[in-house]
Amino acid sequence: MENFLRDVEDALGNAEAPSSSELDDILSLAGELKGLPLSDAARLLMAGGEDALRAICDKAAEVKSAVFGPRVVLFAPLYLSNYCSNDCLYCGFRKSNAIARRKALSPDEAVEQAKILSRLGFKRIILVAGEHPRYSGVDYLIKTAKEIYSRTDVRILHVNSAPVSVEDFRRLKSAGYGVYQCFQETYHKDSYKVLHPTGKKSDFLYRLSVMDRALEAGFGDVGIGPLLGLYDYRYDALAAIAHSKRLEAKFGACAHTISVPRLRPAEGAEVKDAPYPVSDGDFRKIVAVYRLSVPQAGVVVSTREPAKLREQCLMCGASQISAGSSTEPGGYDGREKSTSQFYLGDIRPLPEMARVIAEMGLLPSLCTACYRSGRQGSNYLRAARSGNLDELCTANALLSLKEYLLDARPEGREIMEASLNRFLDEFKGPLKEDLKRRMEMIANGERDIHY
Ligand code: SAM
Ligand code: SF4
C-alpha cells in the first residue's frame, strides 16, 4: 500500500528545477493530455520564479480548456454535524475543542438546509461531517440521503465523511451517493502521526487505503487531496498525483477530483498557523501541476481561498469551485450559531460567483447530468479521453445555466444570459438544433433536461 510513497520520495529526491528548455519539453508533453510521469511532475513542483510559474499556469489553462472547455462547475457543501471523536490539531470540530458549540442536524433539519441550497440553484451538494458513531455514522448518512432525495429536488449528493469498511461503503453507495471524498491531510507519515494524535483517524494506513475500499465497494468516483500547509507541499502534491495514478492502475479510473484545500485558522484549533506555509504563487503552481499531471480530474478550489486567488486558479487549471459556503451545521438559515470548521476566505454568494465566472468568459455550470446518465468511474474516463464528452458536457452546462437563470432569477442574470446566448451561438456540433429545442423545453417549464 505504501509503495507509491516510496516512488514519490525517489522522484523528489532526484528532481531538480527544470532549465527553461527542459520546462518547454515537459510542458509540451503535458499538452498531449495524457498526464505526466511522476519524475516530470516532481520537476514542475521544484520550479521557481515568475517566468516558470507563468509558463506552467498558461499550459494548465490550455489543458483545462482542451479537456473541460469553458465550463466551471459550482457546488456547495452542507455540513451535517460538528461532533467529532478525533482530535486533528488544526480543526475546529476536534474533540478537545472545549469552546465548540456542537450541533448535529436531524434528517429534517438537513432537508431544510438542502431546500435552501436547492432554491439558490444548487442541485449538487456535498454532505460533510465530523467523525462520530452517533452523529455521522453510516446509518445516519443513509437516512439523511434518503430524506433529502425524497423531499427535495437536489439531484446528486456527494459525501466527505470518515473512512469506513468495504461493506459500509457498499451501503453508502446504495443510498445514492455520487462521489466519495476524503482528504489524506498529509501523506507524510511522521507528520500525520503528530497532527492526528488520537481517535480512529490516527491510523495512517487505514486512511491511506480508504479509496481502495470505496472503489472496491462500487464508488466509481472518488475525490482526494492533501490539506496544504501541514507538510512540504512538493511531497504532498506529488503524493496526491501518485495516489491517483495508483488508483487508475488498480481500478481503471484516476481520482475523479483532486481538491486543493489549504489550512485556515479555526476557532479552538491547537495548530493555528501552517507548519509549512504555502504561498499564493505556490498554490497556483500546485493547481496547475495537478491539471497537467492528471488532466481528466476535476481540480477543486474551495471558499477557503480569497476571491482573487480563486479567480486566478480558474485561469490555471481549476475546474470546480464551491460558492456561498457555510462550514457550520445549520449555517444556511442564519438562525442558530454553531462552531464552523474554519474561517472562510471567499464569502461571495452563488449569483455573484456565477456572474464573475461569466464575466471572465467562462461558463458557470450547475450540471448533474453525469450522475443522472450513469457516466462515472472508468466509463466517464473513457468518454473524457475520447473527446466525446466535451460537446455533451457543454450542452449540459448550458441547460443547467438556463434552468438556474429561470428558477433562481439571480442578481446579475443579464450578464449570465448574454454569456449563455453567446455560448449557444458559438456551439458547434450535431447537437446544436436539439440543444435549442431542449432550451425551449426548459423555458416551457420542464426540468432536469440533460444528455
Ligand atoms: N471528518 C472527516 C474527515 O476528517 O475526513 C470528514 C470531513 S472534514 C469536516 C473535511 C476536511 O476539512 C478535512 O479532511 C480537512 O482536510 C479539512 N479541514 C479541517 N480543518 C481545516 C482547517 N483548519 N482549514 C482548512 N481545512 C480544514
Ligand atoms: Fe474531526 Fe474531520 Fe475535523 Fe479531524 S478534520 S477533527 S476528523 S471533523
Side-chain angles (χ1 to χ4, degrees):
M1 178 69 225
E2 281 172 292
N3 284 350
F4 78 94
L5 293 179
R6 246 165 264 137
D7 297 340
V8 170
E9 277 154 32
D10 289 348
L12 269 181
N14 297 325
E16 284 176 13
S19 67
S20 101
S21 74
E22 288 167 339
L23 181 60
D24 287 348
D25 289 346
I26 297 174
L27 295 181
S28 117
L29 180 63
E32 293 175 20
L33 312 183
K34 294 188 191 123
L36 289 174
L38 224 45
S39 52
D40 284 345
R43 299 198 73 184
L44 292 184
L45 288 166
M46 300 299 279
E50 271 307 308
D51 289 349
L53 177 63
R54 195 170 318 114
I56 293 170
C57 287
D58 286 352
K59 180 54 81 175
E62 221 178 283
V63 168
K64 187 273 173 188
S65 166
V67 178
F68 291 91
R71 302 180 298 281
V72 177
V73 169
L74 286 150
F75 69 95
L78 196 176
Y79 274 69
L80 295 175
S81 158
N82 61 14
Y83 283 89
C84 194
S85 44
N86 292 317
D87 220 358
C88 314
L89 298 188
Y90 44 82
C91 178
F93 293 175
R94 60 197 280 266
K95 180 181 173 185
S96 316
N97 180 2
I99 56 169
R101 296 166 308 282
R102 303 282 174 183
K103 166 99 186 144
L105 302 185
S106 65
D108 283 348
E109 289 171 317
V111 165
E112 285 317 307
Q113 295 283 304
K115 281 184 178 164
I116 294 172
L117 288 172
S118 171
R119 271 198 298 276
L120 291 171
F122 292 108
K123 306 297 176 200
R124 67 197 285 152
I125 292 176
I126 180 158
L127 301 185
V128 187
E131 176 165 10
H132 195 280
R134 176 136 157 242
Y135 299 118
S136 60
V138 170
D139 291 336
Y140 170 87
L141 291 172
I142 291 173
K143 183 159 177 38
T144 304
K146 197 170 151 221
E147 296 293 323
I148 293 179
Y149 280 133
S150 61
R151 291 164 56 191
T152 76
D153 62 355
V154 167
R155 292 176 196 150
I156 186 70
L157 291 171
H158 303 315
V159 63
N160 182 327
S161 60
V164 291
S165 65
V166 174
E167 190 39 45
D168 278 343
F169 272 127
R170 280 206 183 96
R171 295 172 57 220
L172 270 185
K173 183 66 194 160
S174 6
Y177 283 106
V179 176
Y180 173 70
Q181 185 184 62
C182 183
F183 302 149
Q184 180 57 35
E185 320 300 13
T186 174
Y187 289 88
H188 187 255
K189 193 173 185 175
D190 292 345
S191 304
Y192 186 95
K193 292 257 169 217
V194 173
L195 291 159
H196 308 95
T198 59
K200 272 188 157 178
K201 193 165 163 180
S202 61
D203 187 339
F204 177 76
L205 277 183
Y206 191 67
R207 191 147 182 113
L208 195 64
S209 53
V210 61
M211 294 313 179
D212 292 60
R213 294 193 296 283
L215 287 158
E216 201 182 319
F219 267 95
D221 292 339
V222 295
I224 63 171
L227 177 55
L228 298 172
L230 298 183
Y231 186 63
D232 186 331
Y233 76 81
R234 296 169 194 86
Y235 180 86
D236 272 335
L238 195 64
I241 293 166
H243 193 176
S244 173
K245 285 179 182 298
R246 191 188 151 277
L247 294 176
E248 183 171 353
K250 190 166 170 192
F251 297 98
C254 61
H256 184 69
T257 55
I258 306 183
S259 294
V260 202
R262 181 168 59 164
L263 196 67
R264 294 284 299 155
E267 188 184 84
E270 191 167 314
V271 169
K272 297 229 180 281
D273 300 314
Y276 291 82
V278 175
S279 71
D280 286 358
D282 286 337
F283 188 91
R284 280 160 55 215
K285 183 173 73 172
I286 294 163
V287 167
V289 174
Y290 283 156
R291 170 58 55 226
L292 298 173
S293 307
V294 195
Q296 278 78 24
V299 175
V300 188
V301 177
S302 74
T303 53
R304 291 173 180 85
E305 301 309 323
K308 183 163 167 258
L309 179 61
R310 294 216 312 154
E311 286 161 30
Q312 289 172 333
C313 288
L314 293 177
M315 294 316 219
C316 66
S319 55
Q320 293 195 21
I321 56 173
S322 44
S325 305
S326 166
T327 67
E328 85 182 58
Y332 291 116
D333 58 20
R335 271 183 298 189
E336 207 174 337
K337 283 276 155 216
S338 60
T339 291
S340 61
Q341 197 187 14
F342 46 79
Y343 298 114
L344 299 174
D346 184 354
I347 55 164
R348 290 175 293 179
L350 175 62
E352 188 175 345
M353 211 52 249
R355 176 180 55 73
V356 168
I357 291 169
E359 282 171 347
M360 290 171 76
L362 299 170
L363 173 58
S365 169
L366 291 145
C367 179
T368 54
C370 274
Y371 304 94
R372 322 281 296 157
S373 309
R375 282 187 296 271
Q376 289 180 53
S378 46
N379 282 344
Y380 170 85
L381 191 62
R382 252 193 314 279
R385 287 217 169 115
S386 68
N388 290 343
L389 265 189
D390 194 33
E391 186 193 5
L392 219 63
C393 288
T394 297
N396 282 326
L398 288 167
L399 293 166
S400 75
L401 182 58
K402 175 89 178 169
E403 194 182 295
Y404 171 60
L405 295 177
L406 283 170
D407 289 353
R409 306 195 63 71
E411 226 174 276
R413 65 179 172 281
E414 301 73 17
I415 295 166
M416 291 179 252
E417 234 148 42
S419 153
L420 189 154
N421 291 333
R422 180 171 62 80
F423 279 114
L424 193 56
D425 279 349
E426 289 169 3
F427 191 90
K428 289 191 186 66
L431 287 184
K432 185 162 183 167
E433 285 315 307
D434 188 61
L435 176 58
K436 285 187 180 161
R437 190 180 59 79
R438 290 183 189 222
M439 289 280 177
E440 277 304 304
M441 289 162 71
I442 294 178
N444 292 332
E446 286 193 53
R447 289 295 172 263
D448 198 12
I449 305 276
H450 57 266
Y451 291 97

